[in-house]
Amino acid sequence: MTGYTMLRNGGAGNGGQTCMLRWSNRIRLTWLSFTLFIILVFFPLIAHYYLTTLDEADEAGKRIFGPRAGSELCEVKHVLDLCRIRESVSEELLQLEAKRQELNSEIAKLNLKIEACKKSIENAKQDLLQLKNVISQTEHSYKELMAQNQPKLSLPIRLLPEKDDAGLPPPKAQRGCRLHNCFDYSRCPLTSGFPVYVYDSDQFAFGSYLDPLVKQAFQATARANVYVTDNADIACLYVILVGEMQEPTVLRPADLEKQLSSLPHWRTDGHNHIIISLSRKSDTQNLLYNVSTGRAMVAQSTFYAAQYRPGFDLVVSPLVHAMSEPNFMEIPPQVPVKRKYLFTFQGEKIESLRSSLQEARSFEEEMEGDPPADYDDRIIATLKAVQDSKLDQVLVEFTCKNQPRPSLPTEWALCGEREDRLELLKLSTFALIITPGDPRLLVSSGCATRLFEALEVGAVPVVLGEHVQLPYQDVLQWSEAALVVPKPRVTEVHFLLRSLSDSDLLAMRRQGRFLWETYFSTTDSIFSTVLAVIRTRIQIPAAPIREEAAAEIPHRSGKAAGTDPNMADTGDLDLGPVETEPPYASPKYLRNFTLTVTDLYRSWNSAPGPFHLFPHTPFDPVLPSEAKFLGSGTGFRPIGGGAGGSGKEFQAALGGNVPREQFTVVMLTYEREEVLMNSLERLNGLPYLNKVVVVWNSPKLPSEDLVWPDIGVPIMVVRTEKNSLNNRFLPWNEIETEAILSIDDDAHLRHDEIMFGFRVWREARDRIVGFPGRYHAWDIPHQSWLYNSNYSCELSMVLTGAAFFHKYYAYLYSYVMPQAIRDMVDEYINCEDIAMNFLVSHITRKPPIKVTSRWTFRCPGCPQALSHDDSHFHERHKCINFFVKVYGYMPLLYTQFRVDSVLFKTRLPHDKTKCFKFI
C-alpha cells in the first residue's frame, strides 16, 4: 500500500520504475528499426537471387524467371515501336554525321575561296587606285590643253561714251542712213544687256496731242519691259512716242522737228534714237513725212519710198488692240481648210494714180522716166470675170455700200466697220490685199490693217504688188504665211489659189496665226518686236528668261532609305553601264552670240519650237518679239542622239552633243505625307537622278515631326503661293538639268522603267516621253472632242503623271502659252497634263512617245486621287474642246508608235495582244 502509494505519488520507488519503462521502450524501438532494415534490405536481395536461380528446368520455354534475349523482348507488342524508333534514330544519326563531314569539307573549300577573293579585292583596290590616279592625271592634262588651246577670255570692258560726244560723221544724205554710219555701236557693248531709255511724252509739247489710249498702252508696256532703264546715261537706245495723234490735231512738221531736236539726249542728230508712231486707225496719216529725223530710226505703218531707209527704219503693224487682249473665243478655228468663199475683197479707190501724179508733188525726189503703169483697171476686170464665171464662189466689191474710210491717194479705202469686215473674212479662204497704185507709197495703214485682220481670223493674205514693204520684212519670211503676187500676174491669181493643197494652205494659215499672236496682236508684242529687231540687227544677246524662285520648306532628313528590291531589280532588262557620279547640273551653254547671226530666220519665222526658243539661263530663247527671253547660262545640252533623228536635229541647233546627263524629278503632292514618303523612298539608288523637287501644293505645311528619307540626292521641298496644278510645270530655279521627270506622288515605277524612259528621251528631246498613254476622239453625234483613257493601239497624249520633258517647255507653259488655258486648269483643278500635250504637239507637230511599262504604274493601296472622281472625265472633255478653240485647231497627233527595249518582255493582257509593238 505504501509502495504503491509512493509510486503513484512519485516517490523514490516510483522514479526507478519510470526509468525502467523508458529503457524498455527504447529497446523495442531499436529492435523494430533493425528488423525493418533487415526486411527491406536483405529480403529483396534474397528474393532476387532466388528468382534468378530457382528456375533450372531443361526446357527453355518453361522458364518463368531469368534473363531473355533482345529478340525475344521485341516480341512484346508495346516494345516494338520503341525498337523501330531506336533503329530510325540510329540511321538518322549516321546520315547527319555524314552530312556534317561533307559540310566541313565544303566550309574548308569556301574558306580557301574567301582568302583568294580577299587577295583579289586587295589587288583590285590597288588597280582602282592606279586607274583613279591615271584619270586624275589625264583630266589635269586635258584641262591644261584646253587652257592652252581655248583660253578663257574675260568680259570686255564696257564702253561708256561721254554725255557730250561729238557724234558720228554725217552721211551724204539723210536717206543714206544705215546702221554703220548712223548708229553708235559704242553705246551698245555685247555685255550691256541692251538698256533702253523711254522718254515720257507728257513732258513734251507733242505729248498732249497723243491719243490717250495709245499713250496709256505704250507707257504700261514700257514700264513692264525688261530692257527699259531709268538711267539715260547708260542707255543703248532711246525711244520716243510721237503718234497716233488725236483728231483733229494738226501738228506742223517744223514744230515736231523742233521738239524732237530739243530732246535731252538727241545730241544734235538723234543717233541711237527710234521714233515710234503707232496707228490705231486705218486712216492714220504719215505724221513724220517732211520731218527731218536726222540719224534717228523711224517705226510706223506708213512709208513713202523717199522716206523709208531699208535696214534702218521699221514697218510696224497697226495697234488695233490698244488696251485689251485678243479674245480667243471669238477667233474662228483654222479648220475646215476651205471656207465659203475662195477669196474676197471689199474696197473703194478714192483717187486714181493718174490724178495723183497730176497733183503738185511735195516729194524730195521727183519721179524719173515714164509714169508707172496703173494696173487697177486690169485687176478690177479680172476679178469681176472670176466672180462672174461661177467656177468658185468669190466675193469682190469695188464700191462701198456705205461711206468708205478715209485713205491716202491711190490707196483702196476700207469699207464698213471692223466687225463687218471680220465676219466676211471668217468666211474667206484667201483675203486679197491690193497695194496702192502709186509705187512711191511703199506701205500704208490701210494695207497694214487689211493684213492684220486677215491674219487674225485665218484668211491667208494674197498681196497684189511685190513692191510693198510688209511689217518686219527683213526678219520675217512672209512667203510662209502669205502670197505676194506682182500685179501683172493678176490673171494667174485664180489658178494659183486653186493649185494650193489643203496641207500647204493649213500650214500657211497656222503660220499666219503664229505671226499675228507673236508680233502683231497687242501693244506689248509690237513694242517688244521693235526692240528685238534692233537688238538682233546689232547682234546683242537678249536678256535671260526669268525663273521661278523656289521658296524652300525646311525639313528634317532621317536615316538612309532602303532600296526596294522590286523597284531596283532590272529583271531581264540590261540597260548597260549607268552613271553613279554625284549630282551635277547641265553644263553652261555658250552660243549666246552666234545664234543671233546663224539662226536668225529660223528663230523669227518658226513657231516656238526647237528653233524658236533657244536655251539661256537656263535657256536663251531667241523669241525676238519677247526680248526678255534672251540671256546667258545653261541651255539645251543635247545628249546621246547619235546620227540622225529629231533629237539629233533638235540638239544640233542648240550647241552639239555632250557625253552625259542627269534628270530632275518634280513631284506634285497635296497632304498625302505617307504616300509621298513611300514614293521618295522608292527613288533611292535611282541612276541618273540629280535632285528631287517636291512641289508642296497645300497651304498647310508638312508635319514638324515628319522625317524625310535620305535617298542619296538632295530633296528640295518647294512651297507654292496657291494650290494650282500649273505649279507642276513652273520653271523652278532649283531645276538645274534640262531633263525633267514629272511624276505623281502615287506613281509606282521601277528603276529600269525610269532609266529606259530617260534614255529614250535623250534620243527625242523635243517630245514628251512617258508611260501612261491616252487619246482623243471625235464625237459625231455631239460634234465635239472627247477624252478617252481606254487601252488602245493608238494614242495622242502621254500623261505627265509619269513623263520626261525638256525644261524648255516649262518656260513656254508658264510664260508663253495663253493665260486662258492656265485659268481653265485652275478652274477645274484638272487638265494640266492635257494642256502640256497640246502645247508640245502645237510647237513640234509631233506626237508624244510612249515607253512600255510593266503595268505597275499606280501605287497599290494608295488613297484615291482626283482622277477617281466621276466628274473628272466630263471636265477633261470640256478642257479639250476649250483648248481647241484657243489654238484654233486640234494640235494633237495620233501615233501607234511605242518604244520597247529588245530585251523588255512585256506582260500583255490577253485582250491586248492584237496591238502592234514597234521596237
Side-chain angles (χ1 to χ4, degrees), residues 773-775 787-792 799 872-873 876-877:
R774 300 291 186 266
Y775 66 96
Y787 170 85
N788 202 316
S789 63
N790 297 327
Y791 288 109
S792 172
L799 302 186
H872 176 77
F873 287 95
R876 294 173 86 81
H877 299 329

Side-chain angles (χ1 to χ4, degrees), residues 713-741:
V713 297
I715 297 179
M716 175 70 65
V717 185
V718 178
R719 184 176 184 178
T720 58
E721 295 181 358
K722 64 176 183 178
N723 177 20
S724 172
L725 294 180
N726 293 316
N727 296 331
R728 180 195 295 273
F729 302 124
L730 285 175
W732 302 105
N733 58 355
E734 291 296 332
I735 302 177
E736 299 176 324
T737 61
E738 299 172 14
I740 296 177
L741 172 58

Side-chain angles (χ1 to χ4, degrees), residues 256-557:
L256 180 58
E257 183 177 333
K258 183 178 180 180
Q259 295 182 34
L260 291 176
S261 301
S262 64
L263 293 176
H265 307 283
W266 187 259
R267 298 185 181 92
T268 69
D269 57 4
H271 62 271
N272 290 47
H273 277 66
I274 181 168
I275 305 172
I276 299 179
S277 177
L278 300 177
S279 58
R280 198 166 63 89
K281 307 180 185 66
S282 62
D283 56 347
T284 301
Q285 299 299 314
N286 190 350
L287 179 66
L288 295 175
Y289 183 69
N290 285 334
V291 175
S292 176
T293 57
R295 286 188 172 92
M297 292 176 280
V298 176
Q300 60 182 9
S301 299
T302 302
F303 276 104
Y304 285 100
Q307 181 187 13
Y308 180 71
R309 296 165 291 184
F312 194 73
D313 294 330
L314 280 82
V315 178
V316 300
S317 63
L319 182 60
V320 177
H321 301 284
M323 294 299 295
S324 61
E325 295 288 336
N327 188 353
F328 291 100
M329 304 304 295
E330 296 180 357
I331 299 176
Q334 299 184 32
V335 290
V337 177
K338 300 294 180 61
R339 296 178 177 177
K340 179 179 179 180
Y341 298 107
L342 178 63
F343 62 84
T344 59
F345 177 80
Q346 284 182 323
E348 184 173 341
K349 196 169 185 178
I350 305 301
E351 186 177 4
S352 65
L353 175 61
R354 186 180 304 276
S355 61
S356 175
L357 293 177
Q358 292 174 354
E359 293 181 357
R361 297 173 180 174
S362 58
F363 295 98
E364 296 179 0
E365 296 183 358
E366 296 291 336
M367 295 291 298
E368 297 181 359
D370 296 333
D374 190 356
Y375 290 97
D376 290 347
D377 294 339
R378 185 186 303 178
I379 292 173
I380 295 173
T382 302
L383 296 181
K384 284 185 175 180
V386 174
Q387 184 178 21
D388 296 339
S389 66
K390 307 296 183 179
L391 295 176
D392 289 293
Q393 193 169 2
V394 300
L395 190 151
V396 289
E397 295 179 353
F398 300 103
T399 303
C400 297
K401 298 178 181 179
N402 300 319
Q403 184 68 22
R405 310 291 297 177
S407 62
L408 297 176
T410 73
E411 181 186 18
W412 286 91
L414 294 169
C415 296
E417 300 296 330
R418 166 177 159 81
E419 292 74 14
D420 299 331
R421 297 195 300 270
L422 291 180
E423 290 300 323
L424 178 61
L425 290 174
K426 291 178 182 179
L427 303 175
S428 306
T429 306
F430 296 94
L432 293 185
I433 301 174
I434 304 177
T435 59
D438 189 349
R440 298 169 300 179
L441 185 58
L442 297 182
V443 64
S444 64
S445 297
C447 287
T449 301
R450 290 180 182 274
L451 179 66
F452 181 94
E453 293 176 350
L455 295 177
E456 182 178 4
V457 297
V460 178
V462 179
V463 182
L464 292 178
E466 78 284 0
H467 68 282
V468 68
Q469 288 292 325
L470 298 178
Y472 321 116
Q473 187 166 326
D474 55 340
V475 291
L476 294 182
Q477 289 183 338
W478 278 102
S479 59
E480 297 180 357
L483 295 174
V484 180
V485 182
K487 285 185 177 181
R489 293 189 179 276
V490 64
T491 57
E492 302 171 334
V493 169
H494 186 208
F495 170 80
L496 179 62
L497 300 185
R498 288 285 301 272
S499 64
L500 287 178
S501 65
D502 289 352
S503 58
D504 293 339
L505 181 56
L506 184 59
M508 296 183 69
R509 182 175 294 166
R510 178 175 175 270
Q511 181 69 7
R513 172 73 176 269
F514 161 72
L515 296 180
W516 177 79
E517 289 182 357
T518 309
Y519 306 116
F520 306 147
S521 58
T522 63
T523 309
D524 179 70
S525 63
I526 295 175
F527 181 65
S528 298
T529 304
V530 170
L531 297 185
V533 170
I534 299 174
R535 178 185 51 75
T536 304
R537 286 176 177 176
I538 62 178
Q539 301 176 353
I540 294 183
I545 187 174
R546 71 180 181 92
E547 293 187 291
E548 290 294 325
E552 184 179 5
I553 300 177
H555 59 281
R556 178 167 55 94
S557 298

Side-chain angles (χ1 to χ4, degrees), residues 580-828:
T580 58
E581 299 184 19
Y584 56 87
S586 296
K588 299 296 181 181
Y589 183 59
L590 303 176
R591 202 163 171 248
N592 303 334
F593 175 74
T594 56
L595 62 88
T596 61
V597 180
T598 60
D599 297 312
L600 174 64
Y601 279 98
R602 280 191 302 187
S603 63
W604 275 84
N605 296 279
S606 300
F611 304 111
H612 186 69
L613 298 181
F614 285 80
H616 225 151
T617 307
F619 288 84
D620 188 9
V622 181
L623 179 55
S625 68
E626 297 288 339
K628 61 186 178 182
F629 273 80
L630 203 58
S632 63
T634 63
F636 281 67
R637 222 183 70 292
I639 299 297
S646 62
K648 168 66 174 162
E649 177 182 327
F650 188 55
Q651 60 203 25
L654 303 174
N657 296 326
V658 294
R660 62 181 186 176
E661 186 171 24
Q662 293 180 341
F663 63 87
T664 302
V665 168
V666 176
M667 186 177 296
L668 187 73
T669 187
Y670 186 90
E671 296 183 4
R672 297 201 295 180
E673 295 180 353
E674 182 179 357
V675 175
L676 175 63
M677 295 303 108
N678 293 334
S679 297
L680 292 176
E681 289 180 356
R682 288 193 292 269
L683 299 177
N684 185 36
L686 177 60
Y688 304 107
L689 182 58
N690 176 272
K691 183 186 298 182
V692 178
V693 176
V694 177
V695 181
W696 192 264
N697 221 23
S698 171
K700 180 181 177 182
L701 295 180
S703 304
E704 296 181 357
D705 57 348
L706 183 62
V707 178
W708 295 71
D710 182 4
I711 61 175
V713 297
I715 297 179
M716 175 70 65
V717 185
V718 178
R719 184 176 184 178
T720 58
E721 295 181 358
K722 64 176 183 178
N723 177 20
S724 172
L725 294 180
N726 293 316
N727 296 331
R728 180 195 295 273
F729 302 124
L730 285 175
W732 302 105
N733 58 355
E734 291 296 332
I735 302 177
E736 299 176 324
T737 61
E738 299 172 14
I740 296 177
L741 172 58
S742 174
I743 190 169
D744 289 338
D745 57 2
D746 59 353
H748 202 265
L749 291 173
R750 297 164 55 98
H751 287 186
D752 60 324
E753 296 171 347
I754 297 176
M755 291 165 57
F756 182 62
F758 178 52
R759 294 188 176 185
V760 172
W761 177 85
R762 293 171 77 173
E763 301 289 340
R765 309 170 65 82
D766 58 337
R767 300 161 81 172
I768 298 177
V769 176
F771 300 91
R774 300 291 186 266
Y775 66 96
H776 66 289
W778 179 251
D779 183 9
I780 297 178
H782 298 88
Q783 293 294 295
S784 62
W785 293 102
L786 296 177
Y787 170 85
N788 202 316
S789 63
N790 297 327
Y791 288 109
S792 172
C793 300
E794 201 167 42
L795 62 101
S796 60
M797 293 175 282
V798 167
L799 302 186
T800 55
F804 287 94
F805 62 89
H806 205 293
K807 188 180 179 182
Y808 162 84
Y809 296 120
Y811 294 100
L812 293 184
Y813 185 98
S814 301
Y815 304 140
V816 179
M817 188 179 69
Q819 181 63 36
I821 296 179
R822 293 189 292 271
D823 293 340
M824 185 80 166
V825 172
D826 288 336
E827 178 182 355
Y828 285 156

